[in-house]
């Protein structure tokens, strides 16, 4: 009966853990790495076709994004998750496939121009559709028998619609062990979602540590007032509020806040300020939020729905679906709020809005979520004065701000609060899903201050749940920086340079010719140069 860590081990994305009991093998999450890759992840020692099941804590791509790739490589087991997670995965994984296919198409065109083979996408829409057919929705707090070696139960942890901690009972040779996977634990008193629910007991626990070394703003701010003040300031100076926002979860929270701002008239002099949601994914996700069972949401949102109001819709809301809708936003000079993904600015339509607004001092780029190291969002938050977008250098004149406390992750105190729900301390806590400083700091806190026994594994570390002993303890292997490769010079480019050098030699021989003739040649050369410079 073995537990082995592969992804999100001393890293904050790419969650993936292998569990083995008897002859059954399963994964807990199968996420895609995002942002800076710090350590090398060891390869799974089993073929995807030999994996019997996947337990999915929630739909965020860093937990679910490699599931279609698993299917592509032969996985045909069952994926267990909450009903809301199944619904969100339908839109999020399709969107991810579109990104993989678009990037591969772009790279293939570039490769073909250089006489190189085309690039194959990581996975396609067909792979996503196949994977979705393997997903089984589960209810919170309902015991599920996965197979003779494994049973599970999901508990709402308030991080994202449908997010869950997963209690797992494993049986081998007549012995049973219980291990709980926290998934990502939510923040307290967030709009829309319920507060994290507790798990009462577990022999072993795997817990996240995204904010394990820090606290959110201790004086709980009034998010509605704070956002209204920022919108007011920017509208008064004629700028745009640009909000990079995760399409699923964070965008819906911001819409929830703005609905209240408009209802209460908190922005003066601009009552009809337009709000653009420029993300087809966010628009689809919002419909999932509005159509889900009200058991998934908190009491306040439930009451709004029962009163007949739409909690995420208000006057002035504009939904941008096509790329032409998106382009039109920046052609309109009216001060506005623009909400676009991705939340860390590493892809998506937000990059176009940054290009059009970062150089404008009257504008505000407002971050409302975690920014992983190495992402453009983190670079801007850290105070960069210049950034590159679409091969163009952009000077950062806009105001850069962070709305404190708006995080879907529990902070250090929130993690400890959730841990306090266990009636008896687990025998051992494995700390994952945090950058090295956060994971190690939280582990030290658990060991030295809180009286737990905790360990932060690196990729490849394995543990025997029956004996309670480590099988293998690995050390982190840093990702080597790729050496700059010498650029391959196209023979056609060499031909162009040779022609230009020939032209220069010919031009030098024209000295003494009539001015009219020289002027004619000069005009022709300048026209060619202008075309080349475009």
């Amino acid at each position: 009966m073995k537990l082995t860590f592969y992804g999100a081990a001393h890293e904050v994305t790419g969650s993936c853990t292998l569990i083995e009991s008897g002859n059954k093998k399963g994964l807990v999450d199968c996420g895609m790495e995002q942002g800076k890759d710090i350590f090398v992840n060891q390869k799974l020692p089993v073929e995807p076709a030999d994996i019997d099941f996947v337990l999915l804590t929630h739909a965020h791509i860093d937990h679910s994004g490699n599931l279609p790739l698993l299917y592509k490589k032969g996985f045909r087991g069952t994926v267990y998750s909450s009903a809301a997670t199944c619904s969100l995965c339908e839109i999020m994984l399709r969107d991810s496939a579109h990104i993989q296919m678009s990037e591969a198409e772009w790279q293939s065109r570039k490769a073909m121009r250089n006489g190189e083979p085309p690039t194959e996408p990581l996975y396609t829409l067909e792979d996503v559709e196949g994977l979705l057919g393997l997903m089984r929705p589960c209810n919170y707090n309902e015991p599920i028998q996965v197979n003779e070696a494994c049973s599970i139960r999901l508990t709402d942890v308030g991080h994202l619609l449908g997010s869950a901690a997963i209690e797992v009972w494993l049986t081998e040779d007549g012995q049973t062990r219980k291990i709980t996977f926290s998934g990502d634990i939510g923040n307290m008193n967030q709009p829309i979602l319920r507060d994290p629910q507790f798990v009462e007991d577990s022999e072993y626990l795997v817990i996240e540590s995204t904010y394990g070394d820090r606290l959110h703003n201790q004086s709980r701010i009034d998010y509605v007032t704070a956002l209204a003040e920022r919108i007011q300031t920017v509208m008064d100076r004629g700028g745009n509020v640009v909000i990079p926002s995760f399409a699923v979860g964070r965008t819906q929270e911001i819409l929830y806040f703005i609905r209240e701002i408009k209802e209460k008239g908190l922005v003066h002099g601009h009552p009809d300020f337009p709000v653009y949601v420029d993300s087809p994914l966010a628009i689809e996700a919002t419909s999932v939020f509005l159509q889900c069972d009200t058991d998934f949401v908190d009491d306040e949102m439930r009451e709004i729905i029962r009163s007949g109001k739409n909690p995420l819709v208000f006057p002035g809301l504009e939904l941008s679906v096509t790329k032409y809708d998106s382009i039109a936003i920046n052609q309109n000079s009216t001060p506005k709020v623009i909400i676009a993904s991705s939340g860390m600015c590493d892809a998506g339509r937000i990059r176009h809005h940054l290009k059009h607004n970062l150089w404008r001092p009257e504008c505000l780029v407002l971050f409302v979520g975690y920014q992983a190291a190495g992402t453009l969002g983190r670079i801007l938050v850290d105070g960069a004065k210049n950034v590159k977008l679409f091969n163009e250098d952009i000077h950062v004149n806009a105001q850069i701000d962070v709305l404190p406390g708006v995080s879907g992750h529990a902070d250090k105190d929130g993690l400890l609060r959730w841990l306090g729900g266990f009636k008896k301390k687990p025998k051992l806590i494995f700390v994952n899903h945090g950058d090295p400083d956060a994971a190690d700091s939280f582990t030290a806190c658990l060991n030295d201050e809180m009286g737990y026994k905790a360990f932060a594994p690196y990729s490849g570390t394995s543990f025997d749940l029956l004996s309670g002993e480590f099988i293998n303890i690995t050390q982190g292997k840093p990702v080597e920086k790729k050496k700059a490769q010498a650029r391959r010079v196209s023979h056609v480019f060499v031909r162009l340079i040779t022609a230009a050098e020939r032209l220069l030699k010919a031009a030098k021989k024209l000295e003494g010719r009539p001015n009219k003739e020289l002027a004619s040649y000069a005009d022709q050369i300048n026209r060619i140069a202008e075309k080349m410079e475009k």
Side-chain angles (χ1 to χ4, degrees):
M1 188 182 295
K2 189 164 73 170
L3 172 74
T4 310
F5 297 89
Y6 287 95
H10 277 86
E11 293 184 303
V12 81
T13 64
S15 292
C16 185
T17 305
L18 175 67
I19 51 178
E20 301 172 80
S21 184
N23 63 348
K24 300 298 182 182
K25 299 176 179 63
L27 296 180
V28 179
D29 290 340
C30 189
M32 186 179 291
E33 286 193 295
Q34 298 173 301
K36 186 178 181 181
D37 192 6
I38 303 173
F39 294 108
V40 175
N41 286 343
Q42 295 195 17
K43 187 178 178 181
L44 281 170
V46 296
E47 292 298 321
D50 295 329
I51 296 172
D52 299 287
F53 60 91
V54 176
L55 311 178
L56 180 58
T57 60
H58 63 286
H60 278 149
I61 292 299
D62 64 322
H63 290 257
S64 70
N66 275 342
L67 283 173
L69 179 61
L70 198 71
Y71 177 88
K72 178 180 180 179
K73 292 182 175 181
F75 170 70
R76 294 298 183 270
T78 303
V79 180
Y80 295 85
S81 67
S82 71
T85 294
C86 289
S87 296
L88 289 175
C89 278
E90 285 192 38
I91 59 173
M92 295 181 74
L93 293 179
R94 286 185 182 124
D95 181 72
S96 180
H98 279 298
I99 292 172
Q100 305 304 325
M101 294 166 69
S102 296
E103 288 184 354
E105 183 182 359
W106 177 79
Q107 290 171 356
S108 293
R109 287 199 302 267
K110 184 178 178 182
M112 290 172 68
R113 287 195 295 268
N114 291 328
E116 298 171 353
T119 300
E120 181 183 346
L122 191 65
Y123 52 78
T124 66
L125 278 170
E126 185 178 355
D127 299 317
V128 171
E129 297 304 326
L131 183 280
L132 293 175
L134 304 178
M135 296 193 73
R136 174 183 168 178
C138 306
N139 297 321
Y140 285 138
N141 307 315
E142 176 188 351
I144 303 290
Q145 191 71 41
V146 174
N147 52 49
E148 67 273 15
C150 177
S151 60
I152 64 172
R153 183 170 61 196
L154 277 61
T155 300
D156 189 355
V157 284
H159 169 68
L160 176 72
L161 193 73
S163 63
I166 304 180
E167 299 169 82
V168 183
W169 288 265
L170 298 173
T171 301
E172 183 179 294
D173 296 333
Q175 297 188 64
T176 299
R177 298 288 185 270
K178 182 181 179 183
I179 181 167
T180 298
F181 296 84
S182 75
D184 287 353
I185 299 170
N187 209 345
M188 294 289 292
N189 302 315
Q190 291 293 91
I192 302 176
L193 302 178
R194 296 191 295 174
D195 288 343
Q197 307 297 298
F198 294 120
V199 173
E200 292 189 352
D201 66 87
S202 192
E203 293 172 89
Y204 298 98
L205 171 65
V206 179
I207 191 170
E208 65 120 328
S209 58
T210 309
Y211 284 99
D213 61 344
R214 72 203 86 169
L215 301 175
H216 297 320
N217 195 317
Q218 292 306 291
S219 55
R220 185 78 178 182
I221 68 167
D222 179 344
Y223 297 138
V224 171
T225 300
L227 181 57
E229 289 173 350
R230 287 162 172 80
I231 294 173
Q232 181 78 63
T233 299
V234 177
M235 293 290 146
D236 286 348
R237 66 190 185 208
N240 296 326
V241 179
V242 179
I243 303 178
S245 181
F246 299 103
V248 182
R250 195 54 36 79
T251 292
Q252 289 73 37
E253 290 179 1
I254 298 302
L255 293 177
Y256 189 89
F257 293 148
I258 295 177
R259 174 196 56 79
E260 188 172 345
I261 288 170
K262 291 216 171 197
E263 276 189 2
K264 294 180 177 178
L266 299 181
V267 174
H268 308 291
H270 313 276
D272 300 321
F273 67 89
V275 177
Y276 290 86
V277 177
D278 189 19
S279 166
L281 175 60
I283 294 167
E284 289 188 75
T286 300
S287 69
V288 173
F289 274 70
L290 292 172
Q291 295 169 19
C292 75
D293 191 311
T294 55
D295 288 343
F296 282 97
V297 300
D298 64 10
D299 293 341
E300 185 178 351
M301 182 161 172
R302 193 177 299 119
E303 287 305 314
I304 293 172
I305 294 171
R306 286 174 179 171
S307 72
K309 295 180 181 178
N310 190 320
L312 304 179
V313 176
F314 44 80
L317 178 63
E318 301 286 346
L319 305 179
S320 299
V321 178
T322 70
K323 67 177 182 180
Y324 304 106
D325 295 335
S326 181
I327 292 169
I329 294 172
N330 288 301
Q331 294 173 343
N332 180 352
S333 61
T334 303
K336 62 187 77 67
V337 175
I338 305 169
I339 305 169
S341 55
S342 68
M344 296 186 192
C345 306
D346 265 7
R349 295 182 178 182
I350 187 63
R351 294 171 70 86
H352 292 276
H353 297 299
L354 292 175
K355 176 182 175 181
H356 287 280
N357 290 276
L358 271 176
W359 58 272
R360 299 175 57 192
E362 68 272 23
C363 293
L364 164 67
V365 178
L366 182 62
F367 288 94
V368 294
Y370 180 79
Q371 303 300 309
T375 61
L376 176 58
R378 180 68 166 267
I379 290 168
L380 288 169
V381 169
D382 287 346
K385 300 301 180 185
N386 288 277
V387 295
K388 198 155 195 168
L389 287 163
F390 307 104
N391 293 317
E392 185 177 338
D393 290 318
I394 308 293
H395 190 64
V396 181
N397 293 320
Q399 177 187 354
I400 307 296
D401 199 359
V402 177
L403 195 59
V406 180
S407 173
H409 284 273
D411 64 2
K412 178 180 176 180
D413 283 350
L415 295 174
L416 293 175
R417 175 185 176 278
W418 188 78
L419 265 174
F422 287 88
K423 292 182 177 179
K424 183 180 178 181
K425 290 182 177 179
K427 291 180 181 178
L428 179 60
I429 297 175
F430 302 95
V431 179
N432 73 346
H433 203 283
D435 64 32
D437 289 343
D440 291 339
S441 173
F442 190 60
T443 302
C445 169
L446 294 178
N447 284 322
D448 302 338
E449 301 173 33
M450 307 305 298
Y452 292 94
K453 185 179 179 182
F455 181 81
Y458 287 96
S459 182
T461 292
S462 57
F463 185 83
D464 188 323
L465 292 166
L466 280 180
S467 68
E469 301 291 336
F470 282 95
I471 301 169
N472 181 39
I473 297 178
T474 60
Q475 297 300 314
K477 182 181 179 182
V479 173
E480 293 183 7
K481 293 183 178 179
K482 293 182 180 179
K483 295 180 180 178
Q485 295 181 345
R487 289 185 64 185
R488 177 181 172 183
V489 180
S490 162
H491 72 279
V492 179
F493 180 74
V494 173
R495 182 181 167 197
L496 172 66
I497 297 301
T498 301
E501 290 172 346
R502 179 184 174 191
L503 178 63
L504 179 61
K505 289 179 182 178
K508 289 179 178 179
K509 293 179 181 179
L510 295 179
E511 187 175 5
R513 294 282 186 93
N515 288 341
K516 185 176 181 181
E517 183 180 348
L518 295 177
S520 175
Y521 283 132
D523 289 342
Q524 292 177 58
I525 293 171
N526 282 329
R527 282 195 292 271
I528 293 172
E530 286 172 1
K531 289 182 180 179
M532 296 171 69
E533 289 169 353
K534 287 183 178 179

